[in-house]
Amino acid sequence: ALRGRYLWLGGLTVLVLTELIRSTMFGELISLLAILMLYAVFIRQWSVWKIVAAQMVFALLLYWLLAFKFEYRKMAAKQDGFGERAVGLLVSAVHPLQHPVSPKILDVVVSRLNQGHLMSLALRYVPAQHPFVHGETIVTAVKGALVPRLLWPDKPRAGGVENIKRFMGVENLDHSINLGVVGEAYVNYSTGAAFALFLICYVLFFRLMLFWLIHQSKVFPFLLLLMPSLFFMVNFIENDVAIMLNHVVKQVMLLGVFWFMILLDLKFRR
């Protein structure tokens, strides 16, 4: 049984690394590692010192990933072959180990981790250089999540490029950043009552969804397995409303398919 577990773990590791090389998306890896660490803490009942040590190792791993992933993305954009990308990943990963605290690497890491700095850029730029948009991006995000691209060919693409250019005046970066939900609430509603009301409604939406899933999981335990996937993008502080709603709607559709299959199976068994 133990050997089978290691085979499954090895196969999953190969699958994840293959997808990383192909897609150049490392945020998912970081979140999966965090979920696995929480699972290990809960199942193994780690001591406080082991938890602290694991957090330190995880922090160093996060720093390392942030330091090289953007160089790898630029390199991967010029290479189509899987082998070339794999070599590029290795070269990019080794480079930060030679100069771990160089100004360039520190700038990239801090830009990614310091969401407060990104908020300050938006506060400085809006409304001095760009007016408040009064819910425009929120409405577009809701429409984009509900209407498929097949019916809306010009649907705006999710991501931070347009947001940081429009609301921060920043463009042509060699790494990706975004406003985050709080930043998006500010550029839409300033800091008044509408700002607070939007954030309260936003939090309540996910809170009610979480409570409903927990309640339903007493009857359908498989829902607990889908919860990490459902709230996956919500865990990223930099993601805007469009990214989060897009992900949640797609996951809810997948959940609906699972639910229908289970109900259909129960019906035939009777």
Side-chain angles (χ1 to χ4, degrees):
L2 186 60
R3 184 179 178 183
R5 290 181 184 177
Y6 283 122
L7 286 174
W8 275 103
L9 182 60
L12 182 61
T13 302
V14 171
L15 183 63
V16 169
L17 289 176
T18 302
E19 181 61 20
L20 283 178
I21 293 171
R22 188 194 65 81
S23 67
T24 73
M25 300 300 290
F26 289 83
E28 288 77 4
L29 174 64
I30 295 170
S31 295
L32 285 172
L33 289 175
I35 292 171
L36 288 174
M37 190 174 78
L38 290 173
Y39 178 78
V41 170
F42 178 75
I43 296 297
R44 301 292 182 179
Q45 295 294 303
W46 285 3
S47 65
V48 174
W49 291 111
K50 188 176 287 189
I51 294 173
V52 171
Q55 288 176 332
M56 293 176 65
V57 171
F58 187 79
L60 290 173
L61 177 62
L62 177 61
Y63 181 93
W64 178 53
L65 286 174
L66 290 175
F68 79 78
K69 76 172 188 174
F70 302 109
E71 286 296 325
Y72 171 63
R73 279 183 180 173
K74 288 194 296 183
M75 188 181 299
K78 304 173 184 177
Q79 299 167 340
D80 296 326
F82 182 83
E84 292 177 338
R85 286 195 170 196
V87 173
L89 177 60
L90 182 61
V91 172
S92 301
V94 170
H95 176 69
L97 300 177
Q98 299 171 338
H99 307 283
V101 290
S102 67
K104 183 179 180 181
I105 289 177
L106 286 174
D107 178 60
V108 170
V109 174
V110 171
S111 294
R112 289 288 293 178
L113 293 178
N114 191 355
Q115 194 68 27
H117 167 64
L118 302 181
M119 273 292 301
S120 70
L121 294 178
L123 288 167
R124 190 180 306 163
Y125 198 78
V126 178
Q129 304 294 328
H130 192 288
F132 294 109
V133 294
H134 306 292
E136 177 200 321
T137 67
I138 309 300
V139 173
T140 303
V142 174
K143 289 181 179 177
L146 297 177
V147 180
R149 191 168 295 277
L150 183 65
L151 301 178
W152 187 4
D154 298 328
K155 183 169 76 170
R157 294 190 176 275
V161 176
E162 183 61 31
N163 281 340
I164 64 171
K165 180 181 178 181
R166 185 181 180 189
F167 300 117
M168 298 181 191
V170 178
E171 54 184 323
N172 299 324
L173 284 178
D174 59 355
H175 55 278
S176 60
I177 56 176
N178 205 341
L179 273 173
V181 174
V182 178
E184 190 169 359
Y186 168 74
V187 301
N188 276 279
Y189 305 113
S190 184
T191 55
F195 170 84
L197 181 62
F198 167 74
L199 290 179
I200 291 171
C201 292
Y202 181 82
V203 171
L204 284 176
F205 170 74
F206 288 107
R207 187 176 179 85
L208 291 173
M209 183 182 294
L210 178 62
F211 282 174
W212 183 82
L213 285 170
I214 292 174
H215 177 72
Q216 293 297 321
S217 66
K218 296 175 182 178
V219 182
F220 303 101
F222 82 96
L223 290 175
L224 294 174
L225 299 176
L226 298 178
M227 284 171 60
S229 175
L230 181 61
F231 294 102
F232 193 74
M233 286 297 178
V234 183
N235 295 323
F236 292 83
I237 190 173
E238 67 161 10
N239 283 345
D240 56 31
V241 176
I243 292 176
M244 294 187 186
L245 288 183
N246 238 334
H247 175 80
V248 169
V249 168
K250 289 177 182 176
Q251 292 298 313
V252 168
M253 291 173 63
L254 181 63
L255 176 62
V257 172
F258 273 110
W259 199 298
F260 176 76
M261 291 173 64
I262 288 176
L263 292 178
L264 199 63
D265 180 65
L266 291 174
K267 182 180 179 179
F268 279 112
R269 288 189 180 185
R270 290 175 184 174

